[in-house]
């Protein structure tokens, strides 16, 4: 479910609010995505609507991603595979539309920001975290790959942090999200009412670039006035180690360094464990997606990911990963193949061909 409202501003204009609301940590379903696309298209052409605010219902999550259970049922019944195709198509197009939206899009990234939720967050022009924010692209754990444009934007994070996140499914807290460029502003979770009041008082003028600058200045001032009680950064002190571990263009060498880490950093040991439990095919596909994305436009990346996602619906480890993680909950996926060294280049290449 998703709710929309227009919040009146002091100068007679309006702020459009998108409230993500579902029982599964505000995960997106196809009907939700379709409604959001329809609403932002209407707001795009409404001169009285000057900016968009996206947030999640409750305090636990902004959005935990897509409705993976629905995708599992689509994969389990071939006659419904088209529903999985449609979900990925519209989810990716939503992120593409937000990425290019002509009006400021402000994302209140409180709580869990994962998978497709991070896709919406990353596509927003103004990204706010709170003390409870947790960002991750954990797709290798279910046999998918970091999508919704992540083959492009995850690699834009500072250093080689995005590469480590993609290949392990590790998490960023709010302090690390700011440090590595995944967010620009931090506010306490209790300050949401003040955020709305600040946005209502701004002299919006309906000119996208000027309004974006206006919003940036106001959010920076509000962040200074409302210092956020950020957690201690986990990855920032390890930035040099991460850069060294993830250096180079040899996937097996990088994964070997992750797996053979013998240092004292708990986060890196946990990253190794996450990677060891992930789908070898997904790890290889994640790497190849990111490598190819370097030479592609944003639109080309989205199209490449859509082809890859459709193939994941039809073969590979996606069905098995969701079964083990969310359906049977035995957490014992039977990956095929079972080791990264057993993955065949030809099999990875098939994910880039239209099914």
């Amino acid at each position: 479910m998703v709710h929309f409202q227009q919040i009146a501003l002091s100068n007679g204009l309006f702020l459009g609010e998108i409230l993500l609301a579902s029982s599964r940590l505000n995960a997106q379903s196809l009907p939700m995505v379709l409604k959001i696309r329809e609403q932002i298209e209407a707001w795009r052409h409404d001169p009285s609507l000057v900016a968009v605010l996206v947030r999640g219902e409750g305090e636990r999550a902004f959005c935990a991603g897509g409705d993976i259970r629905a995708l599992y049922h689509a994969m389990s019944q071939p006659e419904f595979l088209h529903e999985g195709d449609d979900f990925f198509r519209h989810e990716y197009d939503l992120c593409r539309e937000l990425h290019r939206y002509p009006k400021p899009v402000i994302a209140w990234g409180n709580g869990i920001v994962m998978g497709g939720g991070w896709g919406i967050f990353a596509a927003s022009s103004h990204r706010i975290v709170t003390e409870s924010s947790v960002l991750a692209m954990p797709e290798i754990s279910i046999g998918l790959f970091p999508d919704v444009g992540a083959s492009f934007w995850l690699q834009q994070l500072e250093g080689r942090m995005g590469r480590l996140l993609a290949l392990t499914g590790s998490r960023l807290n709010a302090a690390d999200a700011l440090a590595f460029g995944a967010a620009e502003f931090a506010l306490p979770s209790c300050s949401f009412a003040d955020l709305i009041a600040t946005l209502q008082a701004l002299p919006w003028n309906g000119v996208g670039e000027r309004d974006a600058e206006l919003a940036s200045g106001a959010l920076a001032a509000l962040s200074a006035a409302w210092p956020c009680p950020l957690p201690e950064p986990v990855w920032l002190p390890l930035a040099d180690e991460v850069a060294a571990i993830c250096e180079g263009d040899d996937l097996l060498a990088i994964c070997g360094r992750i797996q053979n880490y013998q240092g004292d950093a708990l986060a890196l040991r946990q990253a190794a464990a996450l990677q060891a439990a992930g789908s070898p095919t997904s790890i290889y596909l994640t790497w190849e997606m990111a490598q190819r994305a370097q030479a592609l436009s944003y639109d080309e990346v989205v199209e490449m990911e859509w082809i890859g996602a459709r193939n994941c619906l039809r073969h590979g480890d996606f069905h098995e990963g969701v079964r083990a993680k969310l359906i049977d909950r035995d957490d014992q996926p039977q990956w095929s193949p079972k080791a990264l060294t057993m993955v065949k280049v030809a099999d990875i290449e098939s994910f880039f061909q239209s099914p």
Side-chain angles (χ1 to χ4, degrees):
M1 183 178 292
V2 60
H3 305 288
F4 308 100
Q5 70 166 325
Q6 294 189 183
I7 299 172
L9 306 175
S10 61
N11 59 0
L13 299 174
F14 294 92
L15 170 72
E17 182 186 65
I18 300 172
L19 178 64
L20 306 172
S22 74
S23 59
R24 296 172 182 167
L25 298 175
N26 302 327
Q28 306 167 66
S29 63
L30 178 57
M32 286 173 64
V33 172
L34 290 173
K35 288 179 181 178
I36 296 170
R37 290 192 66 195
E38 180 181 6
Q39 185 63 69
I40 64 172
E41 181 62 19
W43 283 342
R44 178 195 297 269
H45 301 291
D46 183 350
S48 70
L49 199 294
V50 294
V52 174
L53 172 70
V54 189
R55 67 184 180 99
E57 185 178 57
E59 296 300 318
R60 295 183 62 196
F62 171 74
C63 174
D67 187 346
I68 302 300
R69 288 176 181 270
L71 290 174
Y72 178 82
H73 292 301
M75 287 187 283
S76 300
Q77 304 175 71
E79 65 270 26
F80 294 114
L81 266 176
H82 68 278
E83 294 183 2
D85 293 340
D86 289 346
F87 173 78
F88 281 123
R89 174 77 281 170
H90 288 288
E91 182 191 33
Y92 294 1
D93 282 346
L94 170 60
C95 290
R96 174 161 37 192
E97 289 158 5
L98 290 173
H99 178 72
R100 292 215 174 89
Y101 208 62
K103 303 176 183 184
V105 179
I106 303 165
W108 175 254
N110 188 51
I112 295 171
V113 183
M114 291 186 181
W118 196 349
I120 290 176
F121 189 75
S124 301
S125 60
H126 296 69
R127 297 169 289 181
I128 305 168
V129 289
T130 74
E131 69 277 9
S132 69
S133 297
V134 178
L135 286 68
M137 295 298 290
E139 282 77 8
I140 67 164
S141 70
I142 56 169
L144 193 56
F145 59 89
D147 58 347
V148 285
S151 300
F152 170 79
W153 52 256
L154 203 55
Q155 307 308 315
Q156 307 305 308
L157 298 185
E158 295 294 329
R160 296 189 179 93
M161 194 66 231
R163 178 176 282 187
L164 183 80
L165 296 178
L167 294 176
T168 66
S170 298
R171 302 179 175 191
L172 293 181
N173 66 22
D176 285 319
L178 291 168
F180 289 99
E184 293 83 28
F185 309 99
L187 288 169
S189 57
C190 63
S191 69
F192 183 74
D194 292 85
L195 169 65
I196 295 299
T198 296
L199 296 176
Q200 286 179 303
L202 292 180
W204 303 91
N205 55 37
V207 179
E209 291 185 4
R210 294 180 185 175
D211 282 345
E213 293 177 1
L214 186 71
S216 293
L219 290 173
L222 189 59
S223 297
W226 269 91
C228 182
L230 294 171
E232 288 296 316
V234 173
W235 291 107
L236 184 59
L238 304 174
D240 290 342
E241 285 187 87
V242 169
I245 288 171
C246 294
E247 182 180 9
D249 296 320
D250 186 331
L251 173 61
L252 290 178
I254 292 169
C255 290
R257 289 194 289 269
I258 293 172
Q259 291 302 309
N260 295 322
Y261 176 75
Q262 299 294 319
D264 297 327
L266 176 60
L268 282 168
R269 295 201 299 272
Q270 291 174 332
L274 286 170
Q275 186 182 77
S279 160
T281 298
S282 289
I283 293 169
Y284 203 128
L285 180 58
T286 294
W287 172 264
E288 188 62 26
M289 286 277 183
Q291 293 297 100
R292 297 188 184 204
Q294 296 178 37
L296 302 177
S297 68
Y298 181 85
D299 282 348
E300 289 170 332
V301 169
V302 172
E303 291 305 309
M304 175 183 70
E305 290 183 346
W306 186 54
I307 291 172
R310 291 171 65 203
N311 279 304
C312 286
L313 288 169
R314 287 160 172 80
H315 56 84
D317 285 337
F318 191 23
H319 185 275
E320 172 62 10
V322 178
R323 179 206 64 76
K325 185 69 69 174
L326 297 176
I327 306 302
D328 297 337
R329 295 178 179 268
D330 58 24
D331 216 19
Q332 296 293 322
Q334 300 302 306
W335 304 128
S336 179
K338 297 181 180 298
L340 192 59
T341 53
M342 300 169 64
V343 178
K344 297 178 180 179
V345 174
D347 290 340
I348 296 301
E349 184 63 34
S350 70
F351 283 90
F352 296 88
Q353 309 300 321
S354 293

